[in-house]
Amino acid sequence: MKIRRYLSILFVAMCAIAVSAQAQLTAIGDGGPGPVKAQHLTAELVTLGQTIAPGSTLQAGLVLTMEQHWHVYWLNPGDAGEPPHIKWTLPAGLTVGPLMFPAPSRLPLGPLMNYGYEDTVAYPFTFTASPKMKQGPVHVDALTDWIVCAQVCIPGKAHLGLSLTVGPAGAPIAPAGALGEALSLLPKPLPADAQVTVTGGKKQLAITLKSSSITNLHLDDVEFYPIDEEQVANAADQVVTATPDGFQMRVVRADEKEKLPKELHGLLKMSDTESYEFTAAVVPGVVEAAPVKQAAASGVTTLGAIGLAFIGGIILNLMPCVFPVLFLKGLALVQSSGEERKALRSHGLVYTLGILVSFWAIVGVLLILRAGGSQAGWGFQLQSPAFIVVLASFIFFFALSLAGMFDIGLSLTSVGGELAQKQGYTGSFFTGVLATVVATPCTAPLMGAAIGFALVQPAWITFAIFTALALGLATPYLLLSFQPAWTKILPRPGAWMEVLKQLTAVPLFATAIWLAYVYGSLNSGGAASPSEGVYKLSLLLGCFLVLAVAGWVLGKWPAKWGSFAAAVALIALALAVPLYQPKDTNLVWAPYSQGALDAARKDGKPVFIDFTAAWCLSCQVNEKLVLHAADVQKQLSDRNVVLLRADWTKYDPEITKELASLGRSGVPTYVIYPSAKDAAPDVLPELLEKGLVLDAIKRDAAK
């Protein structure tokens, strides 16, 4: 499901106050180094020694060990979350630096993305002793807080501390364990020879790294992590392409950012053990779209697509709308066999030029339309539901034509027939133009994959693929112009051509089915809401049905202006079915309070309470995919359910008490109090499904 532009802002808007709010939580621990066991993790402080000399430093770290499938957060948590914090109480003369963060990992959840750590992580920090600090034992006190998440998010807090000795420095201790590993994984400055430049486009940022010392790169492993929030779309794909002296990475800008950031601060993670931090000015410019991952995953490469286009262009000559042109021109070559061979070759080259110019004009129009579509929000092409609708509808409609429901080629042939009948080079040139015009609706096998690939590529690749298609279409006649005697092997036009045309509809129908599957997947929103994808898929199938009616109209009354106008109207209606987006009808949720709950229950009204927090990613996914769904909203409205939102972003003892009474300790938690005053609350699972919620509303609102 498409995520609203403001969603990532909502996730982090209140994270800044979560730390002070958690100060009211009960801390575990007795002020010692630990380890102490909290909910779903163990926390402890470790050092590389117990002695710190005056004027020197001592390396230490906070180590968090999570239970399986639980995670904590990096400096920038991503779409939701909060990194750990420590509030220090230090003796005079001793200072401590900020927490340092090893390179994180990407932690996806549905359509969103977190940055953080699983299993075990150490956050290093450094103690510094003043040169005048008195020798002897000292104690440092650390009030530590964190948020640990899986399907639910739970804030935690520990009272930790360290007993150190200020005295002569002992033998250095080699880093080891979790702290040693974390120190080795801290991002490093870029090598002296490395240079990072950032170009900012309308939708993407292009990060280019040039370096001779960073070698043995596996581009599939390279990842970018933004240190500053709200600059990039965290969950979007990052496309990396090799350059002669490094690589270029394209990352998608955050939707809510209208202006380019002045600089980009982040880290490039080259592998599990190597990462570099950088800050670079963002220079406005044009960022050309990179080849999308879907195309690579399907096995189509640029050279492969060019080859498929060339072969497809050759096969186009066998289509009923093209072959008569080729056959008649071949007979003309035989009849002109007395003409100088040089002149015949010139006619073949001019015919080829006519096809090339026509296809180049098509490419120009295509690129203009694609640029306009990008500004309108098509953005990621095959990742865009709107683009999938248009492309699938286009392919399905022309497959209907190939299958014999109607014939576009006959109408188009008459358009350029007179020009093609002219003598001399003008006639040869416009014969090429005519061949292009009548070939356009006759998509041949092997062309579908090539054109589909071309539609989502940079301009030069699109140009190259369509040029190969044009050369494939021109090749048979061009060869005949060099060897007119070969016209003897041409088969005569007949019924076999119609059968071949109908057979070519099969791969196009198969392509439309595959695109329908992609469309359903894009709208499914993950396993939490599969029914949304089924619903959207049914709308696309409805679009196909209306397109079939438009094809029937064209076939029933061919070459009529009235039928053409009716077909255009039906096509517009067909596209509107899946593309129409209804207005947001989200209901208003009132803030939770015990008084509001008691008042609603006293009036005999059912109450739905959403226990949530801005740093809880699962909460946001459930709200977007389930609670904001139109059918859920309708049920809540029709049954007059009182909606209360218990926002736990800022610690609230009243909410904590209510959670405890429900047997829960974290968010998300969802509960429905039935309309019957003495009925027990109905506590729903942490991961919601629409069917489950709808059943619960019907069940509890009727009591």
Side-chain angles (χ1 to χ4, degrees), residues 127-143:
F127 289 117
T128 302
S130 167
K132 298 181 179 180
M133 191 173 182
K134 294 181 179 180
Q135 297 190 20
V138 295
H139 184 79
V140 297
D141 208 58
L143 193 61

mmCIF file with all atom_site columns, all heavy atoms in Angstrom, residues 127-143:
data_model
loop_
_atom_site.group_PDB
_atom_site.id
_atom_site.type_symbol
_atom_site.label_atom_id
_atom_site.label_alt_id
_atom_site.label_comp_id
_atom_site.label_asym_id
_atom_site.label_entity_id
_atom_site.label_seq_id
_atom_site.pdbx_PDB_ins_code
_atom_site.Cartn_x
_atom_site.Cartn_y
_atom_site.Cartn_z
_atom_site.occupancy
_atom_site.B_iso_or_equiv
_atom_site.pdbx_formal_charge
_atom_site.auth_seq_id
_atom_site.auth_comp_id
_atom_site.auth_asym_id
_atom_site.auth_atom_id
_atom_site.pdbx_PDB_model_num
ATOM 1   N N   . PHE A 1 127 ? 36.160 7.868  28.396 1.00 0.00 ? 127 PHE A N   1
ATOM 2   C CA  . PHE A 1 127 ? 36.402 8.682  29.596 1.00 0.00 ? 127 PHE A CA  1
ATOM 3   C C   . PHE A 1 127 ? 37.701 9.451  29.413 1.00 0.00 ? 127 PHE A C   1
ATOM 4   O O   . PHE A 1 127 ? 38.688 8.913  28.878 1.00 0.00 ? 127 PHE A O   1
ATOM 5   C CB  . PHE A 1 127 ? 36.519 7.793  30.841 1.00 0.00 ? 127 PHE A CB  1
ATOM 6   C CG  . PHE A 1 127 ? 35.224 7.174  31.285 1.00 0.00 ? 127 PHE A CG  1
ATOM 7   C CD1 . PHE A 1 127 ? 35.064 5.797  31.279 1.00 0.00 ? 127 PHE A CD1 1
ATOM 8   C CD2 . PHE A 1 127 ? 34.177 7.966  31.720 1.00 0.00 ? 127 PHE A CD2 1
ATOM 9   C CE1 . PHE A 1 127 ? 33.878 5.217  31.700 1.00 0.00 ? 127 PHE A CE1 1
ATOM 10  C CE2 . PHE A 1 127 ? 32.981 7.393  32.147 1.00 0.00 ? 127 PHE A CE2 1
ATOM 11  C CZ  . PHE A 1 127 ? 32.836 6.019  32.133 1.00 0.00 ? 127 PHE A CZ  1
ATOM 12  N N   . THR A 1 128 ? 37.732 10.693 29.884 1.00 0.00 ? 128 THR A N   1
ATOM 13  C CA  . THR A 1 128 ? 38.944 11.511 29.860 1.00 0.00 ? 128 THR A CA  1
ATOM 14  C C   . THR A 1 128 ? 39.179 12.084 31.254 1.00 0.00 ? 128 THR A C   1
ATOM 15  O O   . THR A 1 128 ? 38.288 12.723 31.827 1.00 0.00 ? 128 THR A O   1
ATOM 16  C CB  . THR A 1 128 ? 38.839 12.657 28.843 1.00 0.00 ? 128 THR A CB  1
ATOM 17  O OG1 . THR A 1 128 ? 38.586 12.104 27.533 1.00 0.00 ? 128 THR A OG1 1
ATOM 18  C CG2 . THR A 1 128 ? 40.121 13.469 28.812 1.00 0.00 ? 128 THR A CG2 1
ATOM 19  N N   . ALA A 1 129 ? 40.377 11.826 31.786 1.00 0.00 ? 129 ALA A N   1
ATOM 20  C CA  . ALA A 1 129 ? 40.736 12.322 33.127 1.00 0.00 ? 129 ALA A CA  1
ATOM 21  C C   . ALA A 1 129 ? 41.567 13.593 33.000 1.00 0.00 ? 129 ALA A C   1
ATOM 22  O O   . ALA A 1 129 ? 42.487 13.681 32.176 1.00 0.00 ? 129 ALA A O   1
ATOM 23  C CB  . ALA A 1 129 ? 41.517 11.266 33.897 1.00 0.00 ? 129 ALA A CB  1
ATOM 24  N N   . SER A 1 130 ? 41.239 14.584 33.791 1.00 0.00 ? 130 SER A N   1
ATOM 25  C CA  . SER A 1 130 ? 42.003 15.833 33.815 1.00 0.00 ? 130 SER A CA  1
ATOM 26  C C   . SER A 1 130 ? 43.433 15.555 34.293 1.00 0.00 ? 130 SER A C   1
ATOM 27  O O   . SER A 1 130 ? 43.653 14.678 35.147 1.00 0.00 ? 130 SER A O   1
ATOM 28  C CB  . SER A 1 130 ? 41.331 16.837 34.744 1.00 0.00 ? 130 SER A CB  1
ATOM 29  O OG  . SER A 1 130 ? 42.184 17.923 35.022 1.00 0.00 ? 130 SER A OG  1
ATOM 30  N N   . PRO A 1 131 ? 44.427 16.283 33.779 1.00 0.00 ? 131 PRO A N   1
ATOM 31  C CA  . PRO A 1 131 ? 45.799 16.082 34.256 1.00 0.00 ? 131 PRO A CA  1
ATOM 32  C C   . PRO A 1 131 ? 45.946 16.348 35.754 1.00 0.00 ? 131 PRO A C   1
ATOM 33  O O   . PRO A 1 131 ? 46.850 15.806 36.400 1.00 0.00 ? 131 PRO A O   1
ATOM 34  C CB  . PRO A 1 131 ? 46.604 17.084 33.421 1.00 0.00 ? 131 PRO A CB  1
ATOM 35  C CG  . PRO A 1 131 ? 45.782 17.318 32.202 1.00 0.00 ? 131 PRO A CG  1
ATOM 36  C CD  . PRO A 1 131 ? 44.371 17.222 32.656 1.00 0.00 ? 131 PRO A CD  1
ATOM 37  N N   . LYS A 1 132 ? 45.080 17.159 36.343 1.00 0.00 ? 132 LYS A N   1
ATOM 38  C CA  . LYS A 1 132 ? 45.171 17.499 37.759 1.00 0.00 ? 132 LYS A CA  1
ATOM 39  C C   . LYS A 1 132 ? 44.244 16.645 38.625 1.00 0.00 ? 132 LYS A C   1
ATOM 40  O O   . LYS A 1 132 ? 44.088 16.932 39.823 1.00 0.00 ? 132 LYS A O   1
ATOM 41  C CB  . LYS A 1 132 ? 44.828 18.974 37.951 1.00 0.00 ? 132 LYS A CB  1
ATOM 42  C CG  . LYS A 1 132 ? 45.785 19.927 37.225 1.00 0.00 ? 132 LYS A CG  1
ATOM 43  C CD  . LYS A 1 132 ? 45.397 21.382 37.467 1.00 0.00 ? 132 LYS A CD  1
ATOM 44  C CE  . LYS A 1 132 ? 46.358 22.333 36.762 1.00 0.00 ? 132 LYS A CE  1
ATOM 45  N NZ  . LYS A 1 132 ? 45.992 23.760 36.993 1.00 0.00 ? 132 LYS A NZ  1
ATOM 46  N N   . MET A 1 133 ? 43.646 15.621 38.044 1.00 0.00 ? 133 MET A N   1
ATOM 47  C CA  . MET A 1 133 ? 42.720 14.807 38.809 1.00 0.00 ? 133 MET A CA  1
ATOM 48  C C   . MET A 1 133 ? 43.448 14.018 39.890 1.00 0.00 ? 133 MET A C   1
ATOM 49  O O   . MET A 1 133 ? 44.508 13.429 39.644 1.00 0.00 ? 133 MET A O   1
ATOM 50  C CB  . MET A 1 133 ? 41.977 13.837 37.866 1.00 0.00 ? 133 MET A CB  1
ATOM 51  C CG  . MET A 1 133 ? 40.810 13.137 38.522 1.00 0.00 ? 133 MET A CG  1
ATOM 52  S SD  . MET A 1 133 ? 39.858 12.184 37.309 1.00 0.00 ? 133 MET A SD  1
ATOM 53  C CE  . MET A 1 133 ? 38.554 11.555 38.368 1.00 0.00 ? 133 MET A CE  1
ATOM 54  N N   . LYS A 1 134 ? 42.893 14.019 41.074 1.00 0.00 ? 134 LYS A N   1
ATOM 55  C CA  . LYS A 1 134 ? 43.527 13.319 42.193 1.00 0.00 ? 134 LYS A CA  1
ATOM 56  C C   . LYS A 1 134 ? 43.434 11.816 41.991 1.00 0.00 ? 134 LYS A C   1
ATOM 57  O O   . LYS A 1 134 ? 42.448 11.285 41.501 1.00 0.00 ? 134 LYS A O   1
ATOM 58  C CB  . LYS A 1 134 ? 42.847 13.697 43.503 1.00 0.00 ? 134 LYS A CB  1
ATOM 59  C CG  . LYS A 1 134 ? 43.034 15.161 43.903 1.00 0.00 ? 134 LYS A CG  1
ATOM 60  C CD  . LYS A 1 134 ? 42.343 15.443 45.232 1.00 0.00 ? 134 LYS A CD  1
ATOM 61  C CE  . LYS A 1 134 ? 42.545 16.902 45.644 1.00 0.00 ? 134 LYS A CE  1
ATOM 62  N NZ  . LYS A 1 134 ? 41.880 17.198 46.957 1.00 0.00 ? 134 LYS A NZ  1
ATOM 63  N N   . GLN A 1 135 ? 44.494 11.130 42.406 1.00 0.00 ? 135 GLN A N   1
ATOM 64  C CA  . GLN A 1 135 ? 44.522 9.682  42.288 1.00 0.00 ? 135 GLN A CA  1
ATOM 65  C C   . GLN A 1 135 ? 43.681 9.054  43.395 1.00 0.00 ? 135 GLN A C   1
ATOM 66  O O   . GLN A 1 135 ? 43.507 9.608  44.479 1.00 0.00 ? 135 GLN A O   1
ATOM 67  C CB  . GLN A 1 135 ? 45.960 9.178  42.353 1.00 0.00 ? 135 GLN A CB  1
ATOM 68  C CG  . GLN A 1 135 ? 46.822 9.678  41.204 1.00 0.00 ? 135 GLN A CG  1
ATOM 69  C CD  . GLN A 1 135 ? 48.170 8.982  41.131 1.00 0.00 ? 135 GLN A CD  1
ATOM 70  O OE1 . GLN A 1 135 ? 48.347 7.892  41.682 1.00 0.00 ? 135 GLN A OE1 1
ATOM 71  N NE2 . GLN A 1 135 ? 49.131 9.604  40.453 1.00 0.00 ? 135 GLN A NE2 1
ATOM 72  N N   . GLY A 1 136 ? 43.140 7.861  43.073 1.00 0.00 ? 136 GLY A N   1
ATOM 73  C CA  . GLY A 1 136 ? 42.328 7.139  44.024 1.00 0.00 ? 136 GLY A CA  1
ATOM 74  C C   . GLY A 1 136 ? 41.090 6.571  43.374 1.00 0.00 ? 136 GLY A C   1
ATOM 75  O O   . GLY A 1 136 ? 40.838 6.772  42.174 1.00 0.00 ? 136 GLY A O   1
ATOM 76  N N   . PRO A 1 137 ? 40.266 5.858  44.127 1.00 0.00 ? 137 PRO A N   1
ATOM 77  C CA  . PRO A 1 137 ? 39.055 5.254  43.565 1.00 0.00 ? 137 PRO A CA  1
ATOM 78  C C   . PRO A 1 137 ? 37.988 6.303  43.283 1.00 0.00 ? 137 PRO A C   1
ATOM 79  O O   . PRO A 1 137 ? 37.816 7.265  44.036 1.00 0.00 ? 137 PRO A O   1
ATOM 80  C CB  . PRO A 1 137 ? 38.614 4.276  44.655 1.00 0.00 ? 137 PRO A CB  1
ATOM 81  C CG  . PRO A 1 137 ? 39.166 4.852  45.912 1.00 0.00 ? 137 PRO A CG  1
ATOM 82  C CD  . PRO A 1 137 ? 40.464 5.508  45.550 1.00 0.00 ? 137 PRO A CD  1
ATOM 83  N N   . VAL A 1 138 ? 37.270 6.103  42.202 1.00 0.00 ? 138 VAL A N   1
ATOM 84  C CA  . VAL A 1 138 ? 36.144 6.975  41.836 1.00 0.00 ? 138 VAL A CA  1
ATOM 85  C C   . VAL A 1 138 ? 35.009 6.085  41.334 1.00 0.00 ? 138 VAL A C   1
ATOM 86  O O   . VAL A 1 138 ? 35.224 4.942  40.918 1.00 0.00 ? 138 VAL A O   1
ATOM 87  C CB  . VAL A 1 138 ? 36.525 7.996  40.745 1.00 0.00 ? 138 VAL A CB  1
ATOM 88  C CG1 . VAL A 1 138 ? 37.556 8.975  41.247 1.00 0.00 ? 138 VAL A CG1 1
ATOM 89  C CG2 . VAL A 1 138 ? 37.007 7.293  39.486 1.00 0.00 ? 138 VAL A CG2 1
ATOM 90  N N   . HIS A 1 139 ? 33.818 6.643  41.363 1.00 0.00 ? 139 HIS A N   1
ATOM 91  C CA  . HIS A 1 139 ? 32.650 5.898  40.845 1.00 0.00 ? 139 HIS A CA  1
ATOM 92  C C   . HIS A 1 139 ? 31.881 6.798  39.879 1.00 0.00 ? 139 HIS A C   1
ATOM 93  O O   . HIS A 1 139 ? 31.678 7.986  40.147 1.00 0.00 ? 139 HIS A O   1
ATOM 94  C CB  . HIS A 1 139 ? 31.722 5.468  41.988 1.00 0.00 ? 139 HIS A CB  1
ATOM 95  C CG  . HIS A 1 139 ? 30.572 4.616  41.513 1.00 0.00 ? 139 HIS A CG  1
ATOM 96  N ND1 . HIS A 1 139 ? 30.700 3.277  41.230 1.00 0.00 ? 139 HIS A ND1 1
ATOM 97  C CD2 . HIS A 1 139 ? 29.262 4.936  41.253 1.00 0.00 ? 139 HIS A CD2 1
ATOM 98  C CE1 . HIS A 1 139 ? 29.543 2.798  40.837 1.00 0.00 ? 139 HIS A CE1 1
ATOM 99  N NE2 . HIS A 1 139 ? 28.649 3.798  40.840 1.00 0.00 ? 139 HIS A NE2 1
ATOM 100 N N   . VAL A 1 140 ? 31.494 6.221  38.774 1.00 0.00 ? 140 VAL A N   1
ATOM 101 C CA  . VAL A 1 140 ? 30.676 6.935  37.802 1.00 0.00 ? 140 VAL A CA  1
ATOM 102 C C   . VAL A 1 140 ? 29.296 6.278  37.783 1.00 0.00 ? 140 VAL A C   1
ATOM 103 O O   . VAL A 1 140 ? 29.171 5.044  37.840 1.00 0.00 ? 140 VAL A O   1
ATOM 104 C CB  . VAL A 1 140 ? 31.298 6.940  36.393 1.00 0.00 ? 140 VAL A CB  1
ATOM 105 C CG1 . VAL A 1 140 ? 32.621 7.669  36.400 1.00 0.00 ? 140 VAL A CG1 1
ATOM 106 C CG2 . VAL A 1 140 ? 31.482 5.532  35.854 1.00 0.00 ? 140 VAL A CG2 1
ATOM 107 N N   . ASP A 1 141 ? 28.278 7.086  37.690 1.00 0.00 ? 141 ASP A N   1
ATOM 108 C CA  . ASP A 1 141 ? 26.894 6.608  37.723 1.00 0.00 ? 141 ASP A CA  1
ATOM 109 C C   . ASP A 1 141 ? 26.261 6.846  36.356 1.00 0.00 ? 141 ASP A C   1
ATOM 110 O O   . ASP A 1 141 ? 26.420 7.932  35.775 1.00 0.00 ? 141 ASP A O   1
ATOM 111 C CB  . ASP A 1 141 ? 26.123 7.355  38.809 1.00 0.00 ? 141 ASP A CB  1
ATOM 112 C CG  . ASP A 1 141 ? 24.985 6.524  39.361 1.00 0.00 ? 141 ASP A CG  1
ATOM 113 O OD1 . ASP A 1 141 ? 25.276 5.425  39.863 1.00 0.00 ? 141 ASP A OD1 1
ATOM 114 O OD2 . ASP A 1 141 ? 23.835 6.976  39.272 1.00 0.00 ? 141 ASP A OD2 1
ATOM 115 N N   . ALA A 1 142 ? 25.546 5.852  35.847 1.00 0.00 ? 142 ALA A N   1
ATOM 116 C CA  . ALA A 1 142 ? 24.963 5.946  34.506 1.00 0.00 ? 142 ALA A CA  1
ATOM 117 C C   . ALA A 1 142 ? 23.494 5.555  34.537 1.00 0.00 ? 142 ALA A C   1
ATOM 118 O O   . ALA A 1 142 ? 23.157 4.415  34.882 1.00 0.00 ? 142 ALA A O   1
ATOM 119 C CB  . ALA A 1 142 ? 25.720 5.043  33.541 1.00 0.00 ? 142 ALA A CB  1
ATOM 120 N N   . LEU A 1 143 ? 22.616 6.511  34.194 1.00 0.00 ? 143 LEU A N   1
ATOM 121 C CA  . LEU A 1 143 ? 21.193 6.225  34.065 1.00 0.00 ? 143 LEU A CA  1
ATOM 122 C C   . LEU A 1 143 ? 20.937 6.028  32.568 1.00 0.00 ? 143 LEU A C   1
ATOM 123 O O   . LEU A 1 143 ? 20.994 6.967  31.779 1.00 0.00 ? 143 LEU A O   1
ATOM 124 C CB  . LEU A 1 143 ? 20.367 7.383  34.602 1.00 0.00 ? 143 LEU A CB  1
ATOM 125 C CG  . LEU A 1 143 ? 18.876 7.116  34.824 1.00 0.00 ? 143 LEU A CG  1
ATOM 126 C CD1 . LEU A 1 143 ? 18.659 5.999  35.834 1.00 0.00 ? 143 LEU A CD1 1
ATOM 127 C CD2 . LEU A 1 143 ? 18.172 8.386  35.282 1.00 0.00 ? 143 LEU A CD2 1
#
